[in-house]
Amino acid sequence: MTRSTFVSADAAELAVVERSGFVESRHIGSAVVLDPDGSPLISLGAPEAPVFTRSSLKPLQAIAAMSLGAQVSGTWAALATASHKCEAGHAEAVAGMLESAGLSVDDLQCPSAHPADGAFRRSLQETARHLGRHDADPASPLYFNCSGKHAAFLMAATAIGAESASYLDPNHPVQKRVAEVVEAFAGEAPAAVGTDGCGAPVFALSLTGLARAIGRVVRLGSADAATADEDPRTTSAREPYASYASEARTLMHAVFAEPWAIEGHGKPNTTVIESLGVFSKGGAEGVIAMSTKSGYSVALKCLDGSSRPTTWVALNLLELAGAFDDKHRVSAMSECTLEDLYPHIVDPITGGTDSEGRTGIVGRLGLGEDVAKIR
């Protein structure tokens, strides 16, 4: 019997695409919003059904590597949890991570890729031409969007004296620690283990488990004393995840201090983090998880695998759940509304050109019926 995530009959309508007054597409899926104590505030679709967490799992993978001795902080820590677009700064940082552990690009086992950042890719091509390598192809595992995570895995393997050739094997000490961290933060055992696009093990969790895990990471690791998790000496000290408080603090401090590193300048995750002070980590196949520093968290899965509506829907669900009320408001929210962010995190619905030759905007991504009716 084939294992599966939820089916369309159990899904909710998360978003619609309207073009010229006509709804031409509908995105269905599941979502859940939890309060800082982990209690559900909003539940849509089938949030208890397992989904492959994809890159939304990266904060937990980074914490696992750090707990084994991967010496990362600042940009390096942010890269350990990043799905970067490979700007020059990303590539430089990952190369530095590898060098610090006596490793090289040849040790990376993620696929080769071209830099997604056009400016960096053109600079590499130009350098190749100057060197007379006119057919040079600037593709490398260093430029793959998960290379920072892989570098952190390798740094952890080196720190504990484990061999590096099999660092992606589920039975490798690094991946065993990842499994322990995932279960500790999610509060549930994974329903399945698969192979992610980068070659690393990926876990199937319920959206509730994913939201719980990310909310705990951000709250525990928040650098803001007013919204940080409870004193580790009290309630949270009894929870398995509390032993990773130091790693969570290092990770969150890095991400909030250097949000460009987690994805790239002007990209949705980076924009949400630096504009709202809300942690955001998207993944392939329409998965995303977010959390405020106070611990309000959301996780959703777009069933068709599209990432087009995920950031916008997740932010609106947090707002509908009261995560941005005055008591829990992130300071930046008073100056930046969700509508202000819309053009920076949602691709426009275009058609033709306007009277000045600019690309015309003829529609909008809107909230689906099941989200819009939440009050």
Side-chain angles (χ1 to χ4, degrees):
M1 181 178 178
T2 302
R3 293 171 295 176
S4 172
T5 189
F6 59 96
V7 297
S8 57
D10 298 325
E13 186 179 87
L14 301 179
V16 297
V17 176
E18 173 269 319
R19 175 185 297 274
S20 304
F22 180 89
V23 174
E24 67 171 347
S25 298
R26 300 181 189 274
H27 292 293
I28 63 173
S30 295
V32 66
V33 182
L34 306 181
D35 71 12
D37 294 323
S39 299
L41 297 171
I42 294 174
S43 180
L44 295 171
E48 297 307 318
V51 304
F52 272 137
T53 49
R54 305 302 298 266
S55 286
S56 293
L57 189 72
K58 282 180 178 174
L60 305 179
Q61 293 168 313
I63 285 173
M66 294 161 68
S67 74
L68 290 175
Q71 296 298 306
V72 294
S73 61
T75 304
W76 289 7
L79 260 294
T81 196
S83 296
H84 63 77
K85 301 306 179 186
C86 200
E87 299 171 4
H90 293 128
E92 181 181 357
V94 176
M97 293 167 71
L98 293 168
E99 185 179 357
S100 73
L103 301 164
S104 72
V105 175
D106 293 335
D107 293 296
L108 292 172
Q109 292 181 24
C110 51
S112 288
H114 298 283
D117 180 68
F120 182 47
R121 184 172 179 178
R122 288 190 294 273
S123 73
L124 292 174
Q125 293 170 331
E126 185 64 24
T127 298
R129 283 194 292 269
H130 279 307
L131 295 174
R133 299 185 350 247
H134 298 290
D135 60 345
D137 181 6
S140 166
L142 184 67
Y143 307 147
F144 192 78
N145 71 79
C146 301
S147 64
K149 177 183 75 176
H150 283 248
F153 284 160
L154 284 164
M155 293 170 73
T158 300
I160 61 175
E163 62 97 11
S164 60
S166 62
Y167 75 92
L168 295 181
D169 190 307
N171 292 315
H172 190 279
V174 171
Q175 299 307 329
K176 285 185 174 180
R177 177 59 62 85
V178 171
E180 293 170 3
V181 171
V182 168
E183 188 161 349
F185 277 91
E188 66 182 49
V193 181
T195 302
D196 210 340
C198 66
V202 63
F203 299 89
L205 299 172
S206 69
L207 288 170
T208 300
L210 177 59
R212 184 188 299 122
I214 298 304
R216 285 172 167 176
V217 168
V218 178
R219 190 179 184 204
L220 186 65
S222 175
D224 185 345
T227 56
D229 199 3
E230 296 164 331
D231 188 331
R233 295 169 296 182
T234 57
T235 307
S236 64
R238 298 192 293 270
E239 300 288 348
Y241 65 87
S243 61
Y244 300 103
S246 176
E247 291 83 4
R249 283 193 294 270
T250 297
L251 185 64
M252 288 300 104
H253 178 76
V255 169
F256 286 115
E258 301 191 65
W260 70 273
I262 200 169
E263 188 172 11
H265 291 91
K267 299 300 181 181
N269 289 318
T270 292
T271 298
V272 170
I273 294 168
E274 68 185 3
S275 298
L276 298 181
V278 172
F279 178 80
S280 176
K281 189 70 199 71
E285 294 301 317
V287 177
I288 197 167
M290 293 183 183
S291 177
T292 67
K293 291 181 180 179
S294 59
Y296 282 86
S297 59
V298 59
L300 70 82
K301 159 79 174 178
C302 192
L303 189 55
D304 64 2
S306 173
S307 295
R308 172 165 61 180
T310 55
T311 301
W312 182 240
V313 174
L315 283 173
N316 275 274
L317 287 174
L318 282 175
E319 185 173 55
L320 287 166
F324 301 142
D325 287 349
D326 288 341
K327 182 179 177 182
H328 305 285
R329 185 181 295 275
V330 222
S331 59
M333 279 294 290
S334 60
E335 300 175 3
C336 181
T337 67
L338 296 192
E339 197 60 34
D340 291 334
L341 283 189
Y342 180 90
H344 303 288
I345 60 177
V346 178
D347 290 335
I349 308 302
T350 60
T353 58
D354 63 16
S355 59
E356 298 182 13
R358 297 170 300 195
T359 300
I361 307 300
V362 297
R364 180 181 174 90
L365 175 80
L367 299 178
E369 180 181 3
D370 291 308
V371 177
K373 69 183 181 184
I374 297 172
R375 293 291 180 268

